[in-house]
Amino acid sequence: MQGAADRLVEAGAAGVQFRVARGDDSFVVTSGIAELGSDRPVPENGRFRISCITKPFVSVVVLQLVAEGRIVLDNTVESYLPGLLPYGEKITIRNLLQHTSGLYNYMDSFQKPGDRFLTERYKHYEPTDLIAIAAAKPLEFEPGTKFAYCNTNYFIIGLLIEKVTGRSYRTEITERVLEPLELTETVLPGDDPNIPEPHARGYMQIGGRPEDVTLMNPSEAGCAGEIISTTRDLDTFFAALFGGKLLAEAEFTEMTTPLPPEMIENLPMGIGYGLGIMKLENDGDLDLWGHGAGIPGYATFAATTRDLQHRVQLSFTIGDKDFGHDAEQAVIRGVNIALGF
């Protein structure tokens, strides 16, 4: 595993954390540096932006509300949030969770991401404003007929949670997931641009040089990707989810019933998508589930086998190189080594 972490640094990462677990046993390896221009090592318990791995947390809340009879997966957006979308009667809550809505991804409207980041890194984005960007566009396909990963879906889910509970998705995630599991290293920062210490710093190539992008207002990720956590808390979360501590069997089955592989495109290792979670290809043909994620400066991967006997959590910071094909292959190889292959 140390060799796998070192190779990821050679491929472009500034710093790497790998947490590997087998049943009740686990260990952490790190490589690289926590800050360019220093020799400060990557902290084993460092926090990082988990970005799209926020989605499994959100999905758990929705499925708990399904179990409580407050949400029906095959009801439409229009039935809960009338007038939000011009075609809300065509899109179900299931479509949102599994990215089969056909909605335009508001992120695609942000041009020149590096230049924009420098001028807007502390800007607050209202969820309704980002949803409105998508609502002004036609559907990209008929809901349910295709898969297209889209953060707009989860911004709508955030409004749905607030509508049916009267409380924010942050409060619901905190009280339903973080507090029961004692995930004390995990936070939903809202507009706070800081990452609690300890943490490695993240960078992005802008204008041909690495810019420190550690600080940012994560409201543009919001319900689709704002959470900050650690490899330890992520492992605890996935172990609890697949250990039956968060969902009853019926809702867990809904979450882990994947779309067919032929529908899934452009998701590294992804061979199926359930409700906020991916089925993952691996060298050992294990029944592996999890999620990958990326946000300025940080990339993350979390996975577990259904029986919890093989688990891996990975965080790495982008350094002074662009993250390219070699780095992606180094991640995939490192994950498979962690799984024992």
Side-chain angles (χ1 to χ4, degrees), residues 64-118:
Q64 287 183 358
L65 292 169
V66 169
E68 295 165 13
R70 300 163 81 178
I71 291 176
V72 177
L73 289 173
D74 293 313
N75 280 359
T76 65
V77 172
E78 183 69 15
S79 67
Y80 292 105
L81 299 164
L84 181 66
L85 301 173
Y87 28 65
E89 77 285 352
K90 293 184 175 183
I91 299 170
T92 67
I93 307 310
R94 186 187 303 276
N95 292 150
L96 297 175
L97 290 170
Q98 68 182 188
H99 299 293
T100 58
S101 68
L103 284 166
Y104 175 80
N105 190 350
Y106 70 87
M107 291 296 296
D108 293 341
S109 68
F110 292 161
Q111 300 299 315
K112 296 184 178 179
D115 295 339
R116 183 190 66 84
F117 185 89
L118 292 181

Side-chain angles (χ1 to χ4, degrees), residues 239-293:
L241 175 58
F242 280 79
K245 295 180 180 179
L246 291 173
L247 296 174
E249 184 175 352
E251 287 69 43
F252 181 73
T253 298
E254 290 278 15
M255 189 180 197
T256 56
T257 299
L259 294 167
E262 57 268 22
M263 290 184 70
I264 307 303
E265 296 180 1
N266 302 319
L267 282 180
M269 296 183 68
I271 53 172
Y273 202 94
L275 303 183
I277 196 167
M278 283 189 272
K279 185 171 177 61
L280 296 160
E281 184 178 21
N282 59 91
D283 289 351
D285 199 27
L286 299 174
D287 190 7
L288 188 70
W289 291 83
H291 216 288

Side-chain angles (χ1 to χ4, degrees), residues 10-219:
E10 292 168 4
V16 178
Q17 295 180 59
F18 259 112
R19 178 176 293 272
V20 180
R22 295 278 196 280
D24 294 331
D25 298 323
S26 66
F27 65 88
V28 177
V29 298
T30 66
S31 185
I33 53 176
E35 184 174 1
L36 294 183
S38 80
D39 58 0
R40 183 164 63 92
V42 176
E44 290 189 1
N45 62 338
R47 288 181 170 91
F48 47 88
R49 301 189 189 279
I50 71 170
S51 184
C52 291
I53 302 178
T54 297
K55 291 179 176 70
F57 287 78
V58 173
S59 185
V60 164
V61 170
V62 172
L63 289 166
Q64 287 183 358
L65 292 169
V66 169
E68 295 165 13
R70 300 163 81 178
I71 291 176
V72 177
L73 289 173
D74 293 313
N75 280 359
T76 65
V77 172
E78 183 69 15
S79 67
Y80 292 105
L81 299 164
L84 181 66
L85 301 173
Y87 28 65
E89 77 285 352
K90 293 184 175 183
I91 299 170
T92 67
I93 307 310
R94 186 187 303 276
N95 292 150
L96 297 175
L97 290 170
Q98 68 182 188
H99 299 293
T100 58
S101 68
L103 284 166
Y104 175 80
N105 190 350
Y106 70 87
M107 291 296 296
D108 293 341
S109 68
F110 292 161
Q111 300 299 315
K112 296 184 178 179
D115 295 339
R116 183 190 66 84
F117 185 89
L118 292 181
T119 59
E120 300 184 7
R121 67 191 301 169
Y122 300 117
K123 181 178 178 179
H124 170 77
Y125 289 88
E126 283 291 332
T128 49
D129 291 340
L130 296 176
I131 293 168
I133 293 172
K137 303 279 189 179
L139 287 174
E140 301 197 327
F141 52 83
E142 193 67 20
T145 63
K146 295 182 180 180
F147 170 90
Y149 197 86
C150 174
N151 279 349
T152 307
N153 294 321
Y154 277 74
F155 271 82
I156 296 171
I157 290 292
L159 296 186
L160 170 68
I161 291 171
E162 185 171 356
K163 179 67 177 290
V164 301
T165 67
R167 307 194 306 171
S168 71
Y169 70 85
R170 294 186 184 95
T171 299
E172 293 296 325
I173 289 174
T174 298
E175 295 191 6
R176 290 173 178 269
V177 181
L178 305 190
E179 291 176 352
L181 298 182
E182 299 182 351
L183 302 184
T184 58
E185 298 169 342
T186 301
V187 297
L188 290 105
D191 286 325
D192 187 346
N194 298 287
I195 300 177
E197 295 287 354
H199 63 81
R201 304 194 71 83
Y203 301 85
M204 182 164 59
Q205 292 292 313
I206 303 175
R209 65 181 184 183
E211 292 281 353
D212 189 328
V213 295
T214 306
L215 300 181
M216 65 172 290
N217 183 327
S219 62

Side-chain angles (χ1 to χ4, degrees), residues 21-25 286 304-311 338-339:
R22 295 278 196 280
D24 294 331
D25 298 323
L286 299 174
T304 180
T305 51
R306 194 181 287 266
D307 62 7
L308 297 175
Q309 290 307 299
H310 299 79
R311 306 190 304 278
L339 296 172

